[in-house]
Amino acid sequence: FPVTIGAVVKNNDWQTAVTGQQRIRQGFLAVSVEKVVRVRISGDHAWLTVKGMVSASTRREFEYAIPHSDANEMLDHLCPQAMEKTRYHVMVDGKHWEVDVFEGVNAGLVLAEIELTSETETFALPSWLGHEVTEDGRYTNAYLSQHPYTSWTLHPYLSLLLSCSPVFKGLT
């Protein structure tokens, strides 16, 4: 199974390496810790995808093309938290990265992912990457569809810093 590594993007330096982009509208018909069922539209294409967890970075994935009209109907009536984003394709040292710039209730969040063939495959970390979120379920699209980024009160690391440091305790 492919291995996906994800991270928050900390600046716009990735934009100089963009090779393409696509608009995506998606929603989730079912969400649990172990599996999700997603509906996605990109351009003239639409898919129904079932993902099952193998490990924190590895998923079983089954994807099926569906009629565009069916996908729109599902997103409009069965996925109340449908989301939109623009996905940019970025090449770094011969490796393909996907950078998702979220919109709407997830605006302000920019995530990058790289798909590897195994957990031992090596790759260079681009300078525009922030902290890794591969094992942080809050950064999955399924979680974001139910808990939008703009509703998060504080960044989790800032919350921890504020709660632990006497210097910052007065800021909460």
Side-chain angles (χ1 to χ4, degrees), residues 76-93:
D76 290 343
H77 300 288
L78 302 176
C79 302
Q81 305 297 334
M83 64 173 58
E84 295 189 16
K85 61 186 178 180
T86 301
R87 171 165 289 165
Y88 295 90
H89 302 278
V90 179
M91 291 301 290
V92 177
D93 293 332

Side-chain angles (χ1 to χ4, degrees), residues 55-97:
S55 70
S57 61
T58 306
R59 307 273 186 275
R60 284 186 173 90
E61 187 170 317
F62 307 91
E63 192 164 75
Y64 306 94
I66 60 173
H68 200 276
S69 58
D70 288 357
N72 268 320
E73 188 76 15
M74 286 184 235
L75 287 168
D76 290 343
H77 300 288
L78 302 176
C79 302
Q81 305 297 334
M83 64 173 58
E84 295 189 16
K85 61 186 178 180
T86 301
R87 171 165 289 165
Y88 295 90
H89 302 278
V90 179
M91 291 301 290
V92 177
D93 293 332
K95 299 283 188 185
H96 177 250
W97 287 81

Side-chain angles (χ1 to χ4, degrees), residues 118-146:
S118 74
E119 292 182 3
T120 59
E121 183 178 346
T122 60
F123 60 96
L125 288 175
S127 61
W128 40 265
L129 283 184
H131 64 280
E132 183 179 349
V133 295
T134 304
E135 296 185 18
D136 189 338
R138 294 171 299 172
Y139 291 92
T140 64
N141 286 291
Y143 184 88
L144 290 167
S145 74
Q146 297 177 337

Side-chain angles (χ1 to χ4, degrees), residues 11 16 49 51 55 82 87 97 103 113 120 130 137 163 170-171:
N11 62 46
T16 61
T49 306
K51 292 185 177 188
S55 70
R87 171 165 289 165
W97 287 81
E103 301 167 20
E113 286 187 346
T120 59
S163 68
L171 298 176

Side-chain angles (χ1 to χ4, degrees), residues 145-159:
S145 74
Q146 297 177 337
H147 308 278
Y149 183 69
T150 55
S151 71
W152 297 7
T153 54
L154 288 175
H155 185 281
Y157 298 112
L158 180 57
S159 298

